[in-house]
Amino acid sequence: MDSSSTRRQNTRRKLFDAAVTLIAEQGFSSTTVDEIAERAGVAKGTVYYNFASKTDLFEELLRHGMELLTGALRAAADETAERGGGAAEALDAMIRAGLDFVARRPALAQLYVAELWRTNRAWRPTLTRVRQQAVEVIESVLRDAAAEDDPAAGSDVALTASALFGMVLVTALDWQSFQPERSVDEVHASLARVLQGRLGGVVR
């Protein structure tokens, strides 16, 4: 990768970090391009060089963030498979990966969850698409679980995958907001018990 491409990626990362922090603090409408540029330590023109508008920046931010989460979930599943672990272990590993992701990027996760309920946004199609990519990673492991005759696998794979995805995100945000004294190990263990001991009975 040449130096100009690296510089542009670094600049975009700074803008993403600045935008997610500001928008989480004061909302999308109240956040200005000037504020984003100032927080990122760049000129206002740099924002428009990289993004056509504030809306374009935020859409790309959501897409980029969700792709990072999808990658973390996929890596957790793949690493489990490489060790010879089964589908239930892969699901557990993905739960941990999701919790770790939110712990590192709570503002991004908060924005994502908030935007899920706003159907009139310009970036809704992008958000829907990248959410589906993340859920499909979980669906793939649930299908493997069904093939293994794992009790964690239910008949409605798509709904179960969505439920697991939402459970991890909302639980992680609740943990970060209201129970930050708990360790990630505690939260992971609690969710793992739900998965291991309750999921099959609920969805079958």
Side-chain angles (χ1 to χ4, degrees), residues 13-186:
R13 190 176 300 111
K14 287 180 183 178
L15 291 170
F16 284 153
D17 290 344
V20 74
T21 301
L22 286 166
I23 294 170
E25 289 173 355
Q26 56 195 33
F28 176 79
S29 298
S30 298
T31 299
T32 67
V33 172
D34 287 313
E35 289 173 319
I36 293 171
E38 182 179 359
R39 181 70 64 94
V42 301
K44 182 178 180 179
T46 301
V47 180
Y48 289 114
Y49 176 77
N50 285 274
F51 303 99
S53 63
K54 184 178 70 169
T55 295
D56 182 51
L57 189 162
F58 190 52
E59 182 171 355
E60 284 297 300
L61 166 65
L62 290 171
R63 182 194 59 75
H64 175 69
M66 285 304 299
E67 287 179 352
L68 289 176
L69 175 55
T70 299
L73 297 176
R74 184 175 291 113
D78 290 346
E79 288 167 9
T80 302
E82 289 171 6
R83 295 196 307 269
E89 291 174 78
L91 290 170
D92 183 69
M94 286 194 291
I95 287 174
R96 178 58 182 250
L99 292 173
D100 286 339
F101 182 89
V102 176
R104 292 194 304 272
R105 301 175 176 87
L108 177 60
Q110 179 183 353
L111 286 177
Y112 166 76
V113 171
E115 290 303 320
L116 279 179
W117 310 112
R118 297 188 173 111
T119 58
N120 61 341
R121 299 290 206 184
W123 48 79
R124 180 70 181 185
T126 295
L127 191 59
T128 299
R129 185 174 64 254
V130 293
R131 172 203 169 273
Q132 185 57 32
Q133 290 170 354
V135 172
E136 284 174 357
V137 176
I138 303 173
E139 287 183 18
S140 176
V141 175
L142 285 171
R143 291 191 186 94
D144 290 343
E148 296 171 7
D149 196 26
D150 192 297
S155 57
D156 193 333
V157 170
L159 184 58
T160 304
S162 295
L164 284 171
F165 183 66
M167 176 185 75
V168 172
L169 279 180
V170 174
T171 300
L173 286 174
D174 185 90
W175 159 48
Q176 291 288 300
S177 299
F178 302 111
Q179 304 179 67
E181 72 282 358
R182 290 186 180 275
S183 70
V184 65
D185 291 333
E186 286 181 90

